[in-house]
């Protein structure tokens, strides 16, 4: 077996902003799946779906081959289409909005809370119209959005809440786990996320009809899969709508199940790293962590700080370059989605969400992954201090 390369292509002392952990149990599980009869659409898919849904407290899981595919399936299942509007926070990964566009619906961007970068329910209220089909609530960085207020705003209006929970498995809102907060909750298993299947994702729901629809959608819109037909001794199937091949192979589900064993521990380790950051950043006046609402627990996919540009002696871009030059893999999550050329070309313009646009200029994502040590965090803090020297 080849040696594993934990540092990737980076120099020895480079601290990336995120890093997966692949252990012997993961490798064993993948090899077993590779040597089995089923590389895809086999028994491990359902096993992984059940195990991840159970972890999050949801009734059903639909495994797909990316978080983006989960969002796309969710948009189809809630019936977003041409003429419909889908409210999405301005600060998120583009996929949160793109999923609505795939289905011909129109994303409507809501501004964010300045101190958390979560979708601001007060701004959402003003954007709801008779055309609103869904709200995509993004659990930015790993902190859940304000679902109770969003529910209140959508009550009796037939508006669905889709949780983009890609950052937040293991977090809670008012004591309820992420995965139970939206009508559908979408997760990503990309390597920088909490657990990885290389690429992969899952949509969770308590509604069996939504689950059945998403299961069909991930399989070309066909009403049965290969294993079911084999069990029933039939060749016949019907394609009842236009779907996609969004299936997650068994080999990747095997990896996901092995990773899931360590998810609770990893969430705790991420919280410990966040505690270390809080201590280490205390007293660095030009660096402000984002706020954590008291009714929530955080899963810390990202550790995001705001730079006070009046106190730092450099811009965010210079701060980013300084950190990278000193071996700290800082990053920025995210530019307001509508400022990307694709959206500008479709009529969205600067000025739409002023808080998002302003705070975007100040944010930096610091390294955050379970294996980080207190010394790593102190090293990041030391370099951040230099930004005001
Ligand atoms: C908030 C958010 N939504 C959706 C996605 C899409 O997930 P994937 O990369 O698995 O397609 C990501 C991935 O980075 C994300 O951060």
């Amino acid at each position: 077996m080849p040696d594993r390369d934990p540092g990737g292509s980076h120099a020895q002392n480079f601290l990336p902003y995120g890093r997966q952990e692949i252990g012997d149990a993961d490798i064993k599980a993948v090899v077993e799946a590779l040597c089995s009869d089923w590389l895809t659409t086999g028994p491990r898919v359902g096993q992984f779906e059940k195990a991840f849904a159970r972890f999050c407290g949801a009734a059903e899981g639909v495994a797909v081959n990316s978080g983006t595919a989960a969002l796309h399936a969710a948009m189809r299942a809630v019936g977003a289409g041409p003429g419909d509007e889908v409210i999405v926070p301005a600060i998120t990964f583009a996929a949160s909005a793109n999923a609505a566009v795939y289905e011909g619906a129109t994303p409507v961007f809501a501004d964010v809370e300045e101190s958390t970068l979560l979708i601001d329910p007060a701004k959402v209220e003003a954007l709801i119209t008779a055309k609103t089909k869904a709200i995509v609530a993004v659990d930015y960085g790993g902190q859940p959005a304000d679902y109770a207020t969003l529910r209140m705003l959508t009550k009796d209006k037939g508006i669905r809440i889709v949780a983009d929970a890609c950052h937040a498995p293991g977090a809670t809102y008012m004591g309820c786990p992420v995965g139970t907060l939206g009508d559908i909750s979408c997760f990503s298993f990309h390597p920088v996320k909490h657990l990885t299947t290389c690429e992969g994702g899952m949509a969770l729901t308590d509604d069996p009809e939504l689950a059945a629809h998403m299961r069909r959608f991930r399989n070309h819109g066909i009403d049965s899969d290969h294993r079911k037909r084999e069990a029933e001794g039939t060749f016949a199937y019907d394609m009842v709508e236009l779907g996609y091949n969004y299936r997650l192979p068994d080999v990747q589900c095997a990896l996901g199940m092995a990773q899931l064993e360590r998810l609770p521990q990893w969430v705790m380790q991420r919280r410990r790293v966040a505690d270390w950051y809080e201590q280490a950043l205390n007293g660095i006046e030009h660096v402000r962590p984002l706020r954590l609402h008291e009714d929530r627990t955080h899963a810390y996919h990202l550790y995001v700080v705001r730079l006070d540009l009046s106190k730092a002696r450099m811009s965010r871009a210079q701060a980013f370059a300084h950190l990278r030059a000193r071996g700290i893999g800082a990053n920025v999550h995210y530019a307001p989605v509508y400022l990307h050329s694709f959206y500008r070309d479709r009529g969205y313009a600067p000025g739409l969400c002023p808080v998002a646009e302003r705070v975007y200029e100040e944010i930096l994502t610091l390294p955050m992954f379970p294996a980080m040590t207190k010394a790593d965090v102190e090293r990041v803090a030391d370099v951040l201090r230099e930004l005001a020297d």
Side-chain angles (χ1 to χ4, degrees), residues 309-362:
L309 296 171
S310 67
K311 293 188 178 129
R313 68 175 161 83
M314 54 179 86
S315 69
R316 193 269 308 279
Q318 289 166 326
F320 170 85
H322 183 81
L323 283 155
R324 308 266 317 176
R326 304 276 274 109
I328 311 294
N331 213 319
V332 174
H333 298 89
Y334 303 86
V337 175
Y338 58 84
L339 295 182
H340 288 293
S341 305
F342 173 85
Y343 284 99
R344 287 200 197 213
D345 291 349
R346 281 151 188 80
Y348 298 87
L352 197 57
C353 298
V355 176
E357 289 178 30
R358 179 162 39 80
V359 180
Y360 163 61
E361 299 296 337
E362 304 173 355

Side-chain angles (χ1 to χ4, degrees), residues 17 65-71 91-96 138-141 164-167 186-190 192-193 198-201 301-302 333-334:
Y17 93 86
N65 54 20
S66 69
T68 306
L71 286 162
I91 299 255
T92 182
F93 184 56
S96 315
V138 177
D139 301 332
Y140 174 81
D164 181 338
C166 289
H167 294 182
C186 300
F187 295 85
S188 162
F189 306 134
H190 178 276
V192 292
K193 301 297 195 304
C198 303
E199 297 281 358
H301 161 52
L302 303 175
H333 298 89
Y334 303 86

Side-chain angles (χ1 to χ4, degrees), residues 138-349:
V138 177
D139 301 332
Y140 174 81
Q143 173 167 207
D146 185 357
Y147 288 90
T149 308
L150 294 174
R151 283 262 174 239
M152 229 162 55
L153 295 176
T154 54
K155 196 163 180 282
D156 301 328
K157 295 197 173 96
I159 300 171
R160 298 290 205 155
I161 296 182
V162 172
D164 181 338
C166 289
H167 294 182
T172 61
Y173 172 83
M174 293 183 170
C176 299
V178 161
T180 62
L181 302 168
D183 295 302
I184 299 172
S185 302
C186 300
F187 295 85
S188 162
F189 306 134
H190 178 276
V192 292
K193 301 297 195 304
H194 290 73
L195 72 85
T196 190
T197 58
C198 303
E199 297 281 358
M202 202 179 295
L204 301 184
T205 182
D206 285 343
D207 181 329
E209 274 178 34
L210 292 176
H213 194 168
M214 292 190 287
R215 227 164 245 132
R216 189 170 75 205
F217 179 75
R218 74 159 173 211
N219 189 33
H220 306 276
I222 292 173
D223 64 355
S224 65
D225 68 18
H226 174 68
R227 209 151 58 101
K228 184 160 177 269
R229 287 195 295 280
E230 194 152 284
E232 289 170 359
T234 178
F235 59 85
Y237 60 83
D238 189 22
M239 189 195 113
V240 295
E241 67 174 323
L242 186 64
Y244 292 78
N245 178 354
Y246 280 161
R247 297 186 302 257
L248 187 64
D250 280 58
V251 176
Q252 285 168 254
C253 290
L255 176 58
M257 269 191 294
Q259 291 256 305
L260 186 56
E261 294 283 315
R262 295 183 330 278
L263 182 56
Q265 172 197 328
W266 284 335
V267 172
M268 272 161 57
Q269 285 173 288
R270 285 173 179 275
R271 288 189 182 138
R272 194 174 55 167
V273 173
D275 286 343
W276 289 333
Y277 266 125
E278 203 175 317
Q279 291 159 26
L281 300 180
N282 191 12
I284 307 184
E285 281 191 7
H286 54 284
V287 176
R288 293 171 293 181
L290 295 183
R291 186 161 78 90
L292 170 61
H293 284 285
E294 280 174 9
D295 56 2
R296 294 161 223 193
T297 61
H298 206 301
Y300 291 107
H301 161 52
L302 303 175
Y303 194 86
V304 176
V305 295
R306 291 169 64 195
L307 283 184
D308 184 339
L309 296 171
S310 67
K311 293 188 178 129
R313 68 175 161 83
M314 54 179 86
S315 69
R316 193 269 308 279
Q318 289 166 326
F320 170 85
H322 183 81
L323 283 155
R324 308 266 317 176
R326 304 276 274 109
I328 311 294
N331 213 319
V332 174
H333 298 89
Y334 303 86
V337 175
Y338 58 84
L339 295 182
H340 288 293
S341 305
F342 173 85
Y343 284 99
R344 287 200 197 213
D345 291 349
R346 281 151 188 80
Y348 298 87

